[in-house]
Amino acid sequence: MSEVSQSPRTEHDAETPVRRRLRIGDSVLSGTTVLISVGLVALLAALLWVLEQGAAPAFMKYGLNFFTSRQWDPVNDRFGALPYIYGTVVTSTLAILSALPISVGLALLLNEVRSRLLRNPLTVLVDLLAAIPSVVYGLWGLFVLAPFLNRYLAPALGATLGKLPILSALFVPTPAVGNMLNAGIILAIMIIPIITAVTREVIATVPHDLREAAMALGATRYEAIRMAVLPHARSGIVGATMLGLGRALGETIAVSMLIGNGLGISASLLAPGYTIPAIIANEFREATSTGMQHSALLALALVLVAIALFLAAASRLLVRRSERMGS
Amino acid sequence: MSDGLDIVGLSAWYGTDRVLADVQMEIRPGQVTAIIGPSGCGKSTLLRCLNRMHEELPNARATGSVMFGDWDLYAPDSDPTDVRLHIGMVFQRPNPFPTMTVFENVVAGLKLRGHYDRVNLKERAEQAMRQAGVWDELKDRLNKPGGRLSGGQQQRLCIARALAVEPQVLLMDEPASALDPISTQLVEDTIVQLKNEVTIVIVTHNMQQAARISDRTAFMLRESAERPAALIEIDDTRQMFTKPIDKRTEAYITGRFG
Amino acid sequence: MSELRPPTRLKSVALRKAKSAAFTGLLWLTGAIAMVPLVLIIGYVLIKGTPVMSGAFFTQTAPPPGMPGGGMAQAFMGTGLIVGIGTLFSVPLGVLTAVYLSEYGRGRLATVVRFVAEILLSTPSIVAGAFIWAVVVTTMHSFSAIAGSIALTVLMWPIITRATEETLRLVPNDLREAALALGVPRWKMVLRIVIPTAGSGILTAVMLAVARGFGETAPILLTSLGNDFINTNPLQPTDAVPLRIYNYAQSAFTQWQSLAWGGAVSLLAAVLVLSIGARILSDRQQRRLG
């Protein structure tokens, strides 16, 4: 690349019109691409700035109360986001806890399976899972998954984990159709392909040498993975998880269809909840322009995007570090 | 004294490409056997067949038998993991586990086999590291990451790792080709000292090295890309380097090709 | 060798192998677990949605609440309009950014641009909607298709950039050098050699971005609002298929719910065809460029 780009300049040649036109062509194309690329960076800056401007009044008026108050009352213009923050944290945690083991297993599987005949279709299918629009997840979740979970999983969990001393609080039954457990599970399904794809990429960079070293010592496949593959991929897997978490935090439609959109803060996963993206989606259009409602919603959007971008950035650094270890 | 290996009718494939045909070879116990030949002659493939590492590569397989005492390593009920518990291997490129310390690297194989008390582990690690000629250099750095050593130290660490489990046979795939002359010397010293205790098979492209350290030498050749590689000749090293029987061996040794 | 004490407790090789086999089984289990929702979703959507497909579904607009019949014509038109304009915006932006990164970009600016493109992929789509609401909807004093297109552009631009850059990097450097050695100026080399060689790869990138655009609900909700009637004016509130599915799914009327399933079949079909098509194209491209 570098020697190509430093093509010798022809300063001393005669400036024929053709030559001048050629040079103009070069500056036009490179200038345009630079301008547009700077535009992409400006877009990110503008996004943060606009949201910050919109959020400022709410932050000024409510201060830290905005994050700690449970009162979200548009009629009296009082806004505390705790229920949404709580619901977002609970559903995302649930999603990560369920999706992580499956995703890592899936990534190892895709890496271990030797036969291309099995591996390629499996890879395509995992990619397709990522392509399904979130509203389709929501529709299926609402009519198929949620009734199933409410009927079978919730009672089963209540009868098993619900009998344990501390965990029982998590599985206190409620009559609600939509609840945080269902939302967490649909989220888990949605982020599996993301965590899988990144984990797989990281695992693929683990040098074959190391696996052979383990094998030659008489390690079984499982031991070779534990000795050579997983330690090497660890920071990359953390990065993959962060990317999945970012996606889970920001997921709107499917969650808002399944979580029940209830304002309480309940320890029970079987109770309805509410998330930050869901409240933005549900109230934004109806918000009045006089009070603080828009500002409060934009403040939530700002918090959301700041966390998501931070997670994405951290994830990228971790994954890159993990991949560099492999080379 | 350990057992030797008796290779009978061994062939190896990559996909449909048969790279090794019908090799018959006796690896005598307690001796160093060197396998030489031009690059691409299948010597590494043959070596990797001896502890069933060949089949770990995509689309690779092997047929025939390798007798280890009265155990056929390629019998249907023979498990590659069992094979590797007795037959160790050192690779061309040093491959210590970068996430483990020096000490953890050396005892990695032992830990797979069972639970040892700490004193015992230390004794074994020290002995293996002394055998590999790396104890004096690394005894103060046992808790440093294995990946931060020089190339020569890494390779000798890998030799120590392979020796720690007291294998009966040690396979070495051009173990010194990536090393500086001093490290090469140390590795060769190790090999000579291990003689009579461990059966060693070493692949090398360096004929002087084969002449210096081995008791017997095998010469392999793949005469054309269409035909699989074959064993041309195996004999006492001195005999091979002075009076080879086959003309092709003579041509190779005298530097007329390869 | 000197005699050494044996291990305090030997691990049984059989047990170790059994553990390994169990682990392998577990890996296959995770594969199966991940496949179950995929099969179920596609299956349910097909079963519940296909019967809704009819001429009326594609030609009629939203039925009044509780009334039979009706279709989603206005949503199909709207999605076409919003995604069409969004694609028109994001393709040149995305491709030119990728050209910068692969052909011109060096030093700090390129690092920053690449990093920004990467993390923008993680922008929550609802946030893109809120952003464009604050910028476009409030200044135009109206929800509109064009606002939806711009919101989609925020999401599609980085997607196209990342995927296109990857495919431009597959173009062998020999080709670039050969062109430059013939005295072809750099810009011509990029436009005549690099981009055509990467051609189907760029198409792949666009298809993936369009698939994403088709499925997005949240940003459209805050920018295009929705509309019960066919609208072709980009400055007016406009309907979209995912939006309609979202609203109908949560309604109390069975007719609306079944229309939602019908919408889901169309959406899923479009998105899967685009994704699989993109995959086939990119496999072929990679094989061609080795």
Side-chain angles (χ1 to χ4, degrees):
Chain A
M1 264 318 287
S2 58
E3 63 258 54
V4 178
S5 57
Q6 284 159 9
S7 54
R9 295 291 296 268
T10 48
E11 301 292 354
H12 304 293
D13 294 355
E15 287 270 330
T16 63
V18 175
R19 201 172 290 277
R20 201 171 302 133
R21 211 176 57 229
L22 296 185
R23 283 235 312 266
I24 290 171
D26 259 349
S27 16
V28 168
L29 183 63
S30 67
T32 315
T33 62
V34 169
L35 207 68
I36 287 178
S37 302
V38 171
L40 186 72
V41 180
L43 178 73
L44 175 61
L47 185 139
L48 294 173
W49 185 76
V50 165
L51 293 179
E52 198 273 327
Q53 290 294 304
F59 282 143
M60 301 265 242
K61 182 163 178 195
Y62 307 113
L64 272 183
N65 267 340
F66 183 69
F67 299 106
T68 55
S69 163
R70 311 167 61 141
Q71 278 209 314
W72 183 271
D73 183 0
V75 178
N76 295 308
D77 216 28
R78 278 202 300 230
F79 297 99
L82 192 61
Y84 312 115
I85 297 171
Y86 176 75
T88 307
V89 169
V90 170
T91 49
S92 303
T93 310
L94 198 58
I96 289 291
L97 289 181
S98 349
L100 186 60
I102 295 176
S103 306
V104 173
L106 197 52
L108 285 171
L109 178 71
L110 293 175
N111 200 49
E112 291 289 318
V113 173
R114 298 241 211 92
S115 129
R116 275 205 197 139
L117 247 80
L118 268 170
R119 191 176 48 195
N120 288 354
L122 214 54
T123 315
V124 174
L125 290 177
V126 175
D127 283 354
L128 288 188
L129 207 54
I132 296 177
S134 96
V135 71
V136 175
Y137 275 108
L139 179 70
W140 177 77
L142 193 60
F143 287 103
V144 183
L145 183 67
F148 174 83
L149 294 179
N150 289 343
R151 183 142 176 214
Y152 298 103
L153 183 67
L157 285 175
T160 50
L161 295 176
K163 296 274 183 263
L164 300 171
I166 298 164
L167 288 177
S168 62
L170 291 179
F171 301 104
V172 177
T174 70
V177 177
N179 61 43
M180 295 191 280
L181 179 70
N182 296 353
I185 288 178
I186 201 84
L187 268 182
I189 300 173
M190 295 175 77
I191 62 176
I192 282 174
I194 297 167
I195 306 183
T196 304
V198 179
T199 303
R200 190 172 162 232
E201 207 179 287
V202 172
I203 287 176
T205 64
V206 175
H208 195 69
D209 287 17
L210 294 182
R211 179 187 283 271
E212 290 203 326
M215 293 287 216
L217 284 174
T220 61
R221 176 191 291 211
Y222 166 69
E223 287 162 344
I225 289 173
R226 287 235 355 222
M227 277 169 89
V229 179
L230 287 183
H232 220 269
R234 192 175 298 141
S235 69
I237 294 174
V238 174
T241 310
M242 293 173 89
L243 199 68
L245 179 61
R247 171 78 191 270
L249 292 174
E251 172 49 42
T252 313
I253 295 300
V255 172
S256 98
M257 289 166 90
L258 291 193
I259 199 170
N261 294 341
L263 256 186
I265 295 183
S266 167
S268 175
L269 298 176
L270 303 177
Y274 220 137
T275 66
I276 295 175
I279 184 71
I280 301 175
N282 289 338
E283 284 196 356
F284 211 87
R285 292 172 301 171
E286 281 83 33
T288 51
S289 46
T290 50
M292 277 288 164
Q293 197 172 1
H294 267 135
S295 182
L297 292 171
L298 289 174
L300 287 178
L302 181 65
V303 170
L304 200 60
V305 78
I307 297 174
L309 295 185
F310 168 78
L311 285 173
S315 153
R316 185 171 159 70
L317 296 177
L318 280 171
V319 169
R320 234 196 341 216
R321 198 176 78 183
S322 187
E323 288 180 349
R324 254 209 311 271
M325 251 171 81
S327 56
Chain B
M1 181 67 90
S2 64
D3 281 319
L5 294 170
D6 201 2
I7 304 163
V8 187
L10 188 77
S11 297
W13 281 263
Y14 287 107
T16 52
D17 186 21
R18 192 185 194 193
V19 290
L20 211 61
D22 213 15
V23 174
Q24 317 280 340
M25 191 192 292
E26 190 202 349
I27 309 282
R28 292 190 185 150
Q31 289 196 347
V32 177
T33 305
I35 306 177
I36 61 169
S39 41
C41 71
K43 53 193 193 294
S44 286
T45 304
L46 174 62
L47 191 79
R48 292 172 61 92
C49 285
L50 301 185
N51 68 343
R52 298 193 58 177
M53 282 299 288
H54 172 68
E55 63 206 70
E56 295 299 334
L57 296 170
N59 291 321
R61 64 193 175 88
T63 59
S65 46
V66 175
M67 299 305 297
F68 181 42
D70 54 6
W71 174 16
D72 179 2
L73 305 184
Y74 279 87
D77 61 346
S78 161
D79 188 280
T81 303
D82 296 334
V83 173
R84 296 170 199 145
L85 291 173
H86 297 91
I87 303 180
M89 186 164 215
V90 174
F91 297 83
Q92 184 171 4
R93 260 182 47 187
N95 54 2
F97 299 113
T99 48
M100 294 184 189
T101 64
V102 168
F103 178 74
E104 285 167 345
N105 261 288
V106 178
V107 300
L110 290 173
K111 283 201 166 160
L112 287 177
R113 284 160 172 75
H115 303 271
Y116 293 80
D117 61 64
R118 180 123 190 113
V119 180
N120 198 359
L121 270 187
K122 273 204 129 151
E123 278 174 20
R124 286 192 174 223
E126 178 178 343
Q127 190 195 29
M129 288 175 77
R130 280 190 193 282
Q131 284 177 313
V134 78
W135 173 253
D136 291 333
E137 280 168 75
L138 294 185
K139 65 177 180 231
D140 300 323
R141 292 154 77 183
L142 291 178
N143 292 317
K144 295 275 160 26
R148 297 257 172 84
L149 308 172
S150 74
Q153 287 170 337
Q154 286 191 15
Q155 187 65 307
R156 283 176 283 135
L157 177 63
C158 292
I159 295 175
R161 180 175 67 187
L163 290 174
V165 295
E166 301 183 317
Q168 286 165 278
V169 180
L170 184 61
L171 309 175
M172 305 180 101
D173 189 359
E174 305 200 24
S177 67
L179 305 187
D180 59 276
I182 295 171
S183 298
T184 303
Q185 180 64 51
L186 286 164
V187 169
E188 287 185 9
D189 290 348
T190 302
I191 293 170
V192 173
Q193 277 164 24
L194 287 172
K195 215 180 273 190
N196 302 325
E197 291 177 21
V198 187
T199 306
I200 293 179
V201 186
I202 177 171
V203 162
T204 175
H205 61 255
N206 180 335
M207 281 181 282
Q208 286 76 34
Q209 188 171 61
R212 278 194 300 269
I213 59 176
S214 71
D215 302 299
R216 301 207 323 146
T217 298
F219 173 62
M220 291 183 66
L221 189 60
R222 187 173 195 182
E223 286 176 292
S224 76
E226 290 80 46
R227 289 174 51 196
L231 173 67
I232 302 299
E233 157 166 34
I234 179 167
D235 211 333
D236 278 352
T237 296
R238 191 168 305 163
Q239 182 77 20
M240 280 287 277
F241 281 96
T242 49
K243 281 177 277 172
I245 295 165
D246 196 286
K247 280 205 199 73
R248 292 166 292 184
T249 314
E250 191 184 355
Y252 180 71
I253 285 168
T254 53
R256 264 180 276 153
F257 74 91
Chain C
M1 278 184 209
S2 68
E3 286 309 309
L4 283 168
R5 271 167 287 153
T8 47
R9 187 153 61 81
L10 204 68
K11 286 185 192 167
S12 140
V13 178
L15 198 69
R16 288 171 50 202
K17 283 186 209 158
K19 222 177 183 178
S20 187
F23 182 72
T24 308
L26 219 56
L27 294 190
W28 280 104
L29 185 68
T30 63
I33 291 176
M35 288 309 110
V36 168
L38 181 71
V39 172
L40 286 182
I41 290 173
I42 295 180
Y44 265 97
V45 167
L46 283 179
I47 291 167
K48 294 210 158 195
T50 330
V52 186
M53 300 279 119
S54 66
F57 180 73
F58 293 102
T59 55
Q60 294 185 8
T61 55
M67 299 291 281
M72 292 177 70
Q74 85 290 353
F76 287 112
M77 293 285 291
T79 285
L81 187 66
I82 296 169
V83 176
I85 298 177
T87 309
L88 230 51
F89 288 157
S90 52
V91 169
L93 292 172
V95 171
L96 285 172
T97 310
V99 167
Y100 167 74
L101 288 176
S102 113
E103 306 300 317
Y104 294 101
R106 278 185 305 277
R108 182 159 288 178
L109 180 63
T111 316
V112 170
V113 171
R114 194 170 287 122
F115 190 68
V116 167
E118 179 94 11
I119 65 171
L120 273 177
L121 291 174
S122 295
T123 317
S125 61
I126 186 84
V127 172
F131 168 53
I132 295 307
W133 173 86
V135 175
V136 180
V137 177
T138 53
T139 46
M140 290 179 33
H141 301 292
S142 166
F143 293 97
S144 62
I146 191 101
S149 306
I150 297 174
L152 287 187
T153 302
V154 174
L155 302 170
M156 290 165 74
W157 180 355
I159 297 178
I160 296 179
T161 296
R162 289 292 303 166
T164 304
E165 192 204 346
E166 254 168 53
T167 178
L168 290 180
R169 289 193 176 280
L170 285 180
V171 175
N173 246 336
D174 308 3
L175 280 183
R176 292 188 179 88
E177 286 173 357
L180 290 176
L182 288 173
V184 176
R186 203 168 169 72
W187 63 278
K188 263 197 178 163
M189 180 271 286
V190 171
L191 297 182
R192 296 271 171 79
I193 311 283
V194 177
I195 290 184
T197 310
S200 65
I202 299 176
L203 187 60
T204 304
V206 174
M207 286 164 76
L208 288 174
V210 169
R212 173 83 189 270
F214 274 152
E216 279 300 345
T217 317
I220 310 255
L221 190 71
L222 302 196
T223 52
S224 297
L225 192 66
N227 192 330
D228 278 352
F229 305 100
I230 291 180
N231 168 52
T232 51
N233 181 350
L235 302 179
Q236 290 295 315
T238 308
D239 212 16
V241 177
L243 199 56
R244 201 37 73 162
I245 300 173
Y246 179 60
N247 291 330
Y248 279 172
Q250 302 185 92
S251 76
F253 307 106
T254 47
Q255 169 61 8
W256 279 8
Q257 290 171 1
S258 60
L259 285 178
W261 285 103
V265 177
S266 345
L267 192 58
L268 199 58
V271 167
L272 293 189
V273 164
L274 280 170
S275 305
I276 295 173
R279 171 121 205 154
I280 293 172
L281 268 182
S282 87
D283 280 358
R284 208 179 283 168
Q285 168 91 344
Q286 279 185 352
R287 224 170 298 139
R288 190 162 62 88
L289 294 178

